[in-house]
Amino acid sequence: MTDMVFLQHHEADVTVVAVRPWGLEVESREGTRGLIDNTKDPEWPSGDRSDIVGRELPVVVLDDRRDPVRLSALDVDLKVARRLRGVAER
């Protein structure tokens, strides 16, 4: 696969590349950037998040029209997206 395009309600694995005051900057294996807002990070607010840089996270696309794409790592959002896509629960 070349140039991963994040698609609305689809899932992906991303790597955290930076921690910002507003959320986590992430990148797909293909180099596409995205943002996980603090409210969509299951471990926020847990204090210093610098240890998360380099960690891989499963995410779902919440808004594929924004730049960077908005993502969520919350289980509830993953479940909603699966339901919207008609995918059975894992």
Side-chain angles (χ1 to χ4, degrees), residues 2 19 52 70:
T2 60
V19 177
I52 197 170
R70 296 308 193 264

Side-chain angles (χ1 to χ4, degrees), residues 8 12-14 20 26 28 30 35 74 84:
Q8 192 74 19
D13 290 321
V14 297
R20 303 287 181 230
V26 298
S28 72
E30 295 79 12
L35 176 72
L74 297 179
L84 290 171

Side-chain angles (χ1 to χ4, degrees), residues 14-87:
V14 297
T15 301
V16 177
V17 295
V19 177
R20 303 287 181 230
W22 51 87
L24 305 173
E25 287 185 28
V26 298
E27 190 174 278
S28 72
R29 289 183 184 111
E30 295 79 12
T32 305
R33 292 285 182 129
L35 176 72
I36 300 172
D37 183 270
N38 282 332
T39 61
K40 298 300 183 175
D41 172 3
E43 294 182 32
W44 181 83
S46 64
D48 181 14
R49 299 287 282 140
S50 59
D51 65 330
I52 197 170
V53 174
R55 190 185 314 172
E56 189 170 275
L57 299 172
V59 297
V60 64
V61 179
L62 297 179
D63 189 346
D64 62 358
R65 293 183 176 188
R66 305 238 346 233
D67 186 18
V69 171
R70 296 308 193 264
L71 307 166
S72 174
L74 297 179
D75 285 338
V76 66
D77 290 330
L78 290 160
K79 288 176 183 177
V80 168
R82 288 175 188 145
R83 194 169 55 245
L84 290 171
R85 292 191 331 267
V87 175

